[in-house]
Structure formats: C-alpha cells, structure tokens
Amino acid sequence: TQLLEQSPQFLSIQEGENLTVYCNSSSVFSSLQWYRQEPGEGPVLLVTVVTGGEVKKLKRLTFQFGDARKDSSLHITAAQPGDTGLYLCAGARAGGTSYGKLTFGQGTILTVHP
Amino acid sequence: KAGVTQTPRYLIKTRGQQVTLSCSPISGHRSVSWYQQTPGQGLQFLFEYFSETQRNKGNFPGRFSGRQFSNSRSEMNVSTLELGDSALYLCASSPSSPNRGLVWRFGPGTRLTVT
C-alpha cells in the first residue's frame, strides 16, 4: 500500500508567521498535487509538481517536489487568516492499476489567528 | 466553464437502504473518479471510470458500485447502507487518461448521513 505521511496534522499560528507542511512517502510518484479544502466543500487544486526538485511559487505559497519524487513540502510565508483551511497532498502514479487514483495524505488543518 | 457538479449535496438515509449519487464532470472531461472522505480515514479512492469503463477500483466492499454514461456523467450506488458509510463522497474529473494527476478537479461533494 502506498502511503503519504503528512505532517503536522494541526497547525495553529498567528498572522504573519511562516509555516511548512510536509508530505513524505516511501513510494515514487509521477506527480504530486496540493489541495486546499474548506468545510463542506471539495478540495481545490493549488498546484501540481511533476519533476524531481521542482519548485513552484503561488504568491506567498512555495511548493517543492523532492529530487527522488517521494516527498514534497508546502511553505507559506506571512500567513493570513484567509489561509485557514485543510491542506492536502495527493500523489499520482502512472498507468496500469493507478488509473484515476490519487493517494492522499491525512491532511493538515491550518488555523491562522488575526 | 462550469465546474464538477454533484447531486444531491446532502442526503440522510437509514441503515439497510440504498443510495445513488450523481456526478457531472466538467465539459470535455472523460475520466471520473470517486472518493470517500471521513474524519478517521481521510480521502479514500473508490473507483475510476473512463469512456464508460471502470478501469480501477479501490478497496471497498461490493456494496459500492458505479457506472458512467456516454455523456461522461457518473453515478455511484451504495447498497445495504451501514452507519460507517456516513461520509462526504467526492467525485473528480479529468480530461484524459494519462494518470499524472495534472488536472483533477473535484466537485463539492455529497454529504451522506446514515442513521
């Protein structure tokens, strides 16, 4: 079973602080996605990384895919209350029995206090 | 472009009943996947359909089934409902078969409560 270990599970910080969420696996993924989910809604795609070592930036969010494509991180600079939500990493493997299947981490519940 | 739509958004059923959930993918998307989300297990993959064919299935009992129609709309069915089936059921659509997970878009989900 391919697992994605996401940490930390909970993060409570003050506005303006920086934070990093980690996503680790013993399996190689062809791509890794990060989602943000609001209560009662579906996950919204933030970014997809596909190349080992790739770094993508989305305003104050920086995403990195590990060189071996087994791990990823999400770094938020100067967090704002609007960043509050559930952050999920999800890995995809190519072809065969992996069609359409994303393996999700358990998620990180981020709360940013004003 | 309209997003993935799921109906109904909320559903309350009794143990032993069956339920059918519907998912309409983004126009042009041919692949639809279904997930179950619970607080304890997170998001778990149920199955994936492409061009009306189930290509992949997760580790769920046979009470969980699905199908896809020629217009790519998909339905999932759960028979003989159990309390543990209470969850948010999510579907996601993608335009093509390569499973690099590049453009999976999720719907808002159907919240199923089994009493």
Side-chain angles (χ1 to χ4, degrees), chain B residues 54-107:
Chain B
Q54 185 184 88
R55 297 191 302 177
N56 200 3
K57 191 176 189 304
N59 296 322
F60 279 82
R63 299 185 296 107
F64 292 82
S65 64
R67 59 178 175 168
Q68 187 180 33
F69 302 94
S70 58
N71 62 357
S72 295
R73 189 177 70 85
S74 178
E75 289 181 346
M76 67 163 283
N77 183 276
V78 187
S79 62
T80 319
L81 284 166
E82 300 177 359
L83 294 179
D85 297 332
S86 295
L88 181 67
Y89 289 87
L90 294 158
C91 80
S93 74
S94 176
S96 61
S97 61
N99 189 42
R100 290 178 67 89
L102 294 175
V103 286
W104 288 103
R105 305 292 184 186
F106 281 82

Side-chain angles (χ1 to χ4, degrees), chain A residues 6-103:
Chain A
Q6 192 172 338
S7 63
Q9 274 190 282
F10 303 94
L11 206 47
S12 181
I13 62 173
Q14 294 296 126
E15 183 176 1
E17 292 184 2
N18 301 333
L19 67 110
T20 302
V21 179
Y22 299 94
C23 189
N24 297 294
S25 175
S26 57
S27 300
V28 175
F29 290 98
S30 60
S31 68
L32 201 136
Q33 303 192 331
W34 285 91
Y35 292 87
R36 179 179 157 191
Q37 186 177 19
E38 301 290 338
E41 297 296 327
V44 175
L45 180 65
L46 295 174
V47 79
T48 298
V49 285
V50 297
T51 305
E54 182 176 5
V55 177
K56 282 191 173 180
K57 292 191 176 183
L58 185 67
K59 296 182 180 178
R60 295 176 292 101
L61 279 61
T62 301
F63 305 86
Q64 185 163 6
F65 202 11
D67 291 341
R69 291 185 291 140
K70 292 182 180 181
D71 55 87
S72 181
S73 64
L74 156 62
H75 182 80
I76 300 179
T77 304
Q80 299 176 359
D83 295 327
T84 294
L86 172 66
Y87 289 83
L88 295 157
C89 63
R93 298 186 73 182
T97 59
S98 299
Y99 283 128
K101 179 180 179 180
L102 290 172
T103 299

